[in-house]
Amino acid sequence: MESAGPTPHVALDAETVASLFPDTDPVATVYLTTEAEVENATQRAEQHWKSLRGAMSDAGVPASVLEAIDPWVPDAHRDGQTLAVIATQAGGAHVVESFPEPPVTDAFRWGPLPWAGPILEERQSTVPHVAVAIDRTGADIVLFRRGREDVTEEVRGDEGDPIRKVNPGGWSQRRYQQRAENTWQENAENVADELVRLVDTSEVRLVVVTGDVRAVQMLRNALPKHVDELVHLVDGDVDEEIVRLVDTVVAHDTVVLLEKFKEERGQADRAADGVRATVSALNQSQVGVLLVHADPQDERTAWFGPDPIPVSLDPSELKDLGVDSPSEGPLVDVLLRAAAGTGAGVRIIPHTPTVTDTVGAILRWS
């Protein structure tokens, strides 16, 4: 059966997912509280780490792995309220990231695979976006992207031109005011040109604009449709509104993929619903986008070998396929590794009855 349309390009790509999986095992994954807005933040983080470090040592995590994490703790609060680290004995700290929100509790895993779900969920929650503060002289523009420094651009007009309408009186009034209008328009067009450049080169999904009403109107009139459609006007607390709007974009992306999954499943076409169907599709490199709920309390496991596929819910099946010593790991992480290794995208989804057993896939072909 023919698909009703292409799969939306809003999943995490395979390269992003694969970057969390080191070449060696076992792997330690840590999610540590790093309170950003308290006194003695460094000392508080080190206290959290001391407790978690002791538990990791008791669980058999080698000292070299713990020592690789140590240097990242004291200043972690400067970047957020959660420090996430994936580390191995052979390679030290493989991934180090910070989240803006604290974890439910300090936690770790020590096993053959990284605990990748929370990091991927955080990565997909940050879409490239631009904030614009504009007046009739120009604008300040800031581009935000995950894992990269913010880009700040200042666009200003010619200081020799009038930037305000005044009432000079006499025959020159209309000409002077028209000159001011022309200057404002030119400034708005300069801001629009820079904004278009950032949107087109950085895959921006959201443009938040605040400022002078007339300048905002001129800016929007100067924008091409594909950029103007991304614009949201904001008054009041800009930072709070940006967070809300980004969350809205992220939620919309998830809904779009779930709707596509329902469409394909309803047509009995490009969908795998449930764990067994998804495992089968992964083993055939058939998965285009893996949909999975990364519940930290999920105790389901699966089996895997040295390569991303095959994977199985039964180790004997892998042995029959020539995998001499299958390893057991958390189901979600086994599936994520298989998806990355077969070039599939990934979307971390909320718990939803739309997807059986919280695992499914949109397929490349039926």
Side-chain angles (χ1 to χ4, degrees):
M1 183 178 293
E2 290 295 326
S3 170
T7 301
H9 294 290
V10 293
L12 294 165
D13 60 55
E15 183 178 356
T16 296
V17 180
S19 69
L20 301 187
F21 288 81
D23 295 332
T24 60
D25 60 60
V27 184
T29 310
V30 167
Y31 295 99
L32 183 75
T33 303
T34 55
E35 298 160 285
E37 298 177 355
V38 299
E39 292 185 5
N40 302 318
T42 295
Q43 290 82 353
R44 294 284 290 272
E46 288 176 337
Q47 288 171 0
H48 281 277
W49 175 229
K50 181 179 180 180
S51 176
L52 191 64
R53 196 183 197 279
M56 294 174 70
S57 180
D58 292 343
V61 180
S64 61
V65 175
L66 301 174
E67 289 166 1
I69 300 171
D70 286 339
W72 296 100
V73 175
D75 293 328
H77 66 278
R78 301 180 187 278
D79 297 317
Q81 303 214 67
T82 294
L83 173 65
V85 182
I86 295 172
T88 67
Q89 189 168 9
H94 176 72
V95 173
V96 180
E97 295 195 9
S98 292
F99 304 168
E101 300 298 326
V104 174
T105 185
D106 297 334
F108 77 93
R109 285 185 187 171
W110 172 244
L113 296 175
W115 179 9
I119 294 178
L120 292 176
E121 189 164 19
E122 176 61 28
R123 287 186 176 186
Q124 78 178 23
S125 73
T126 307
V127 296
H129 59 282
V130 172
V132 181
I134 188 169
D135 60 23
R136 302 181 198 192
T137 70
D140 294 321
I141 305 174
V142 185
L143 168 66
F144 301 91
R145 294 168 294 179
R146 186 200 64 80
R148 302 175 68 176
E149 289 188 4
D150 300 341
V151 175
T152 301
E153 301 285 351
E154 183 179 23
V155 181
R156 288 288 176 266
D158 186 345
E159 295 180 358
D161 285 335
I163 59 174
R164 294 184 301 161
K165 283 187 179 180
V166 296
N167 187 3
W171 64 270
S172 65
Q173 179 177 351
R174 176 173 295 182
R175 186 176 67 176
Y176 191 93
Q177 291 187 348
Q178 183 60 51
R179 185 179 172 202
E181 285 277 359
N182 292 342
T183 299
W184 301 345
Q185 182 64 41
E186 182 179 346
N187 291 343
E189 291 172 355
N190 290 338
V191 173
D193 289 344
E194 182 59 20
L195 185 54
V196 170
R197 185 187 70 81
L198 290 175
V199 168
D200 289 347
T201 59
S202 302
E203 299 182 341
V204 167
R205 303 286 310 287
L206 170 69
V207 177
V208 178
V209 178
T210 187
D212 178 90
V213 174
R214 180 69 173 131
V216 169
Q217 180 185 0
M218 288 182 166
L219 171 64
R220 299 199 71 173
N221 289 341
L223 290 173
K225 181 179 179 182
H226 77 282
V227 177
D228 188 59
E229 289 175 341
L230 303 177
V231 170
H232 292 259
L233 305 183
V234 170
D235 290 319
D237 189 329
V238 176
D239 291 341
E240 187 175 293
E241 276 297 288
I242 288 175
V243 170
R244 184 186 69 80
L245 289 167
V246 168
D247 288 346
T248 300
V249 171
V250 173
H252 177 263
D253 288 348
T254 299
V255 169
V256 165
L257 277 178
L258 288 175
E259 288 298 322
K260 182 62 179 175
F261 171 79
K262 287 170 61 178
E263 173 191 303
E264 297 293 351
R265 185 184 59 189
Q267 297 176 155
D269 197 3
R270 294 191 301 123
D273 191 16
V275 176
R276 291 191 177 277
T278 303
V279 166
S280 176
L282 283 168
N283 285 336
Q284 299 175 69
S285 298
Q286 196 177 3
V287 172
V289 179
L290 174 68
L291 305 172
V292 62
H293 177 55
D295 183 356
Q297 305 302 318
D298 189 346
E299 297 183 350
R300 294 176 295 179
T301 63
W303 296 82
F304 64 99
D307 298 319
I309 57 173
V311 296
S312 178
L313 303 178
D314 183 348
S316 63
E317 292 182 358
L318 291 188
K319 290 180 180 180
D320 291 342
L321 293 171
V323 179
D324 294 332
S325 301
S327 299
E328 185 178 19
L331 172 68
V332 170
D333 296 314
V334 172
L335 298 182
L336 290 173
R337 176 176 178 263
T342 55
V346 168
R347 190 76 185 178
I348 305 298
I349 61 173
H351 191 284
T352 171
T354 300
V355 181
T356 302
D357 298 328
T358 68
V359 174
I362 301 171
L363 306 181
R364 295 185 174 109
W365 68 87
S366 58

